[in-house]
Amino acid sequence: MTNQQLERTVFIVSDGTGITAETFSHSVLSQFETVKFNSTRIPFINTLEKADQAIARIEQSFAEQKGLQPIVFSTLVDPAIKARVSNAPCVFLDLFGAFVSPVEQALGVKSSHSIGRSHMGATSEQYLRRINAINFSLAHDDGQFVHGLEQADVILVGVSRCGKTPTSLYLAMQYAIKAANFPLIPEDFDRGQLPATLQPYRKKLFGLTIQPERLSEVRNERRPGSQYASLEQCRDEVAAAERMMRREGISWLSTTTKSIEEISTTIMEEVGLSTRSY
């Protein structure tokens, strides 16, 4: 394998946001650890004119890479637009085409071929649930608002900077889950019990922890050289938080080496939220 082959250009081309194709492309390309991929998302390609603009970018990459074809992940639906882009000098991967045709055969029904269908329905029940969940998670971030916790689907607990906030927002945005989060602080450990605010909601609690060394790195980015970020402080807090979670019977996991997708999926399985509608 040459050095040139160790780096490839990737385009995610979609008639919508391109998020679906981008997520899928990351999963596929992560299997090729020795290759560096430079990805660019090109959204809202819903006319032939815009298709030509996307093709121009693909052709430019092809020329700059001296004939090395870029990889294109596509969720284009319109047949004419898809045909035009697929003829560009690229490795064209039609994600919808790979799945829609077999499903049509299985159902005996033709698909609607509607552009941007997966992101339509801004007034739909599912969409409104997601918006409400996001607002709820923002309002109940870091224990700043304790009223309404009875509405939470899950309440994440753990020491400061262990990943509670991004996980809460991911659950809300992706799965319409109302996720609150609440920090465990040294005062809680001194008392030897959960904060009184959380005690009525034990069945909704899920704990996050993290390796002290990683926690110290994260905290030093926010408050460099502080006692809060010291390795000794991090070790004490993590150990105390884990003891409390074990004592209280709270399920928990370490976020140290896990992606936010893995963390969220584990939480949904453990708390019984895996069947929540997207």
Side-chain angles (χ1 to χ4, degrees), residues 142-195:
D142 210 25
Q144 63 181 332
F145 188 70
V146 298
H147 298 292
L149 284 177
E150 69 278 359
Q151 301 175 31
D153 297 309
V154 63
I155 303 171
L156 304 181
V157 296
V159 299
S160 172
R161 311 302 290 180
C162 70
K164 300 185 300 301
T165 295
T167 302
S168 297
L169 290 175
Y170 183 86
L171 286 167
M173 289 188 288
Q174 294 295 321
Y175 302 108
I177 289 173
K178 291 182 177 179
N181 72 81
F182 206 96
L184 297 177
I185 58 177
E187 287 80 359
D188 298 322
F189 308 141
D190 292 340
R191 287 192 298 267
Q193 61 182 8
L194 285 170

Side-chain angles (χ1 to χ4, degrees), residues 4-220:
Q4 188 182 36
Q5 291 175 305
L6 291 176
E7 185 169 345
R8 293 295 290 268
T9 298
V10 176
F11 291 102
I12 294 93
V13 183
S14 175
D15 47 40
T17 64
I19 293 174
T20 300
E22 186 172 43
T23 300
F24 186 84
S25 72
H26 288 167
S27 297
V28 172
L29 298 178
S30 67
Q31 304 301 311
F32 302 91
E33 299 178 1
T34 60
V35 182
K36 177 183 178 182
F37 296 102
N38 301 310
S39 297
T40 300
R41 179 154 50 106
I42 310 179
F44 307 121
I45 303 302
N46 50 19
T47 67
L48 290 176
E49 180 181 3
K50 291 180 179 179
D52 288 338
Q53 294 172 0
I55 290 169
R57 297 176 68 174
I58 294 171
E59 291 175 339
Q60 181 180 357
S61 172
F62 179 69
E64 291 175 350
Q65 295 297 316
K66 299 180 180 179
L68 193 62
Q69 291 187 331
I71 299 169
V72 173
F73 287 86
S74 164
T75 50
L76 295 170
V77 173
D78 184 277
I81 295 175
K82 180 166 62 176
R84 185 167 296 190
V85 176
S86 67
N87 285 326
C90 64
V91 178
F92 187 82
L93 303 176
D94 178 13
L95 303 187
F96 276 178
F99 299 103
V100 170
S101 179
V103 173
E104 286 179 334
Q105 293 179 18
L107 297 177
V109 176
K110 285 292 184 180
S111 66
S112 64
H113 292 279
S114 297
I115 292 176
R117 187 71 182 176
S118 64
H119 298 283
M120 288 175 66
T123 59
S124 70
E125 181 182 351
Q126 294 90 339
Y127 182 84
L128 291 176
R129 279 212 313 265
R130 289 171 63 190
I131 295 300
N132 289 335
I134 292 168
N135 288 333
F136 180 90
S137 295
L138 288 172
H140 294 83
D141 179 46
D142 210 25
Q144 63 181 332
F145 188 70
V146 298
H147 298 292
L149 284 177
E150 69 278 359
Q151 301 175 31
D153 297 309
V154 63
I155 303 171
L156 304 181
V157 296
V159 299
S160 172
R161 311 302 290 180
C162 70
K164 300 185 300 301
T165 295
T167 302
S168 297
L169 290 175
Y170 183 86
L171 286 167
M173 289 188 288
Q174 294 295 321
Y175 302 108
I177 289 173
K178 291 182 177 179
N181 72 81
F182 206 96
L184 297 177
I185 58 177
E187 287 80 359
D188 298 322
F189 308 141
D190 292 340
R191 287 192 298 267
Q193 61 182 8
L194 285 170
T197 302
L198 296 179
Q199 291 182 15
Y201 310 109
R202 288 173 180 268
K203 292 183 179 180
K204 295 185 177 185
L205 301 184
F206 191 93
L208 299 183
T209 188
I210 188 172
Q211 289 180 357
E213 294 77 11
R214 177 56 183 154
L215 180 60
S216 180
E217 292 176 3
V218 173
R219 288 184 173 183
N220 266 299

